[in-house]
Amino acid sequence: MFIADDRGLDFLNSIATPTDTPIDWIENGDGLLDWLAQARLVPAKALEALRAQALPGELDSVAAQARSLREWFRTFIRRHEGRSLTAKDLGELEPLNRLLERDEEFGRIVAHSDGKAIGLELRTMRRWRSPESLLLPIGEALARFVCEKDFSNVKACEGPTCTLIFVDRTRGRARRWCSMAICGNRAKQAAHRHRLRTQR
């Protein structure tokens, strides 16, 4: 469910109730690896290597840490959605800063192609030393969201059972649903049924 227009919020939406039953896409280690692959936050080779070297239960433990991080950040989002963040909110972000401090990023010069020519670029790389390093790109996505997005544009879907959150980039900030195909259609159908009952 990558509908939030931001990877940090997509991480929050890795547990959702799009219909009546909650679905958790990172309920275990395999789910976490699958979600990270779909989100393109970790290179496929790094995911394969970490899967191969992980001890029994180690990836499940990291998935549990990811779920705890997700729920901590959900509480932060709910408390601040609809208004811009300020410096006085910084103290609440200390758990995220502690996660970011674990990172082992480094620069590397690599070849790239822009379609016209092959050139060189400096690319940020990461050392994937342990399964816990899988939390680092998630932390980075959350930090980018906090620093680059306007919280006054963060909304929760208005679907009665939906738990999805998104950034409203529409003109006039009129987006109400996680997706018109899911909750938007349900709302239209419910409104139509209500009109029919009222007319009778």
Side-chain angles (χ1 to χ4, degrees):
M1 299 286 290
F2 295 95
I3 56 91
D5 289 329
D6 183 90
R7 279 296 174 258
L9 287 185
D10 285 329
F11 173 64
L12 289 188
N13 293 337
S14 63
I15 185 169
T17 309
T19 53
D20 297 327
T21 307
I23 301 169
D24 192 341
W25 283 277
I26 58 171
E27 67 181 349
N28 56 37
D30 287 335
L32 176 63
L33 294 179
D34 291 344
W35 187 88
L36 288 166
Q38 290 175 30
R40 296 185 178 142
L41 288 178
V42 180
K45 286 184 180 180
L47 290 172
E48 291 168 19
L50 288 170
R51 186 188 303 266
Q53 78 181 38
L55 298 171
E58 195 171 15
L59 290 173
D60 290 339
S61 174
V62 174
Q65 292 176 55
R67 290 191 303 273
S68 293
L69 176 63
R70 180 181 65 196
E71 295 317 307
W72 166 81
F73 197 65
R74 181 182 314 284
T75 301
F76 179 82
I77 291 287
R78 294 286 190 194
R79 191 166 35 251
H80 297 285
E81 72 179 277
R83 70 167 184 85
S84 297
L85 293 178
T86 65
K88 66 181 179 182
D89 301 314
L90 187 58
E92 294 180 61
L93 293 167
E94 191 53 33
L96 186 53
N97 277 332
R98 284 196 307 270
L99 172 61
L100 295 171
E101 287 170 2
R102 296 189 222 162
D103 209 342
E104 292 192 54
E105 288 186 331
F106 61 95
R108 181 179 209 120
I109 300 169
V110 297
H112 84 285
S113 173
D114 63 4
K116 298 176 187 169
I118 295 178
L120 301 177
E121 71 173 305
L122 180 62
R123 188 174 295 165
T124 301
M125 310 294 277
R126 179 175 274 124
R127 288 183 178 87
W128 304 98
R129 295 191 190 273
S130 71
E132 282 196 342
S133 63
L134 294 171
L135 298 173
L136 299 173
I138 295 170
E140 184 178 333
L142 298 179
R144 285 186 191 285
F145 174 73
V146 165
C147 295
E148 297 173 1
K149 301 296 188 241
D150 184 349
F151 268 48
S152 62
N153 296 329
V154 175
K155 292 183 176 178
C157 179
E158 292 182 18
T161 61
C162 188
T163 58
L164 298 177
I165 299 171
F166 56 87
V167 177
D168 185 357
R169 290 195 168 103
T170 61
R171 185 176 297 174
R173 304 299 179 249
R175 183 175 171 186
R176 299 173 60 198
W177 317 108
C178 61
S179 163
M180 280 306 296
I182 302 172
C183 290
N185 274 343
R186 280 195 205 117
K188 284 182 179 180
Q189 291 170 355
H192 178 71
R193 286 191 299 271
H194 178 71
R195 280 193 303 274
L196 289 177
R197 280 194 303 268
T198 305
Q199 290 170 0
R200 290 180 194 152

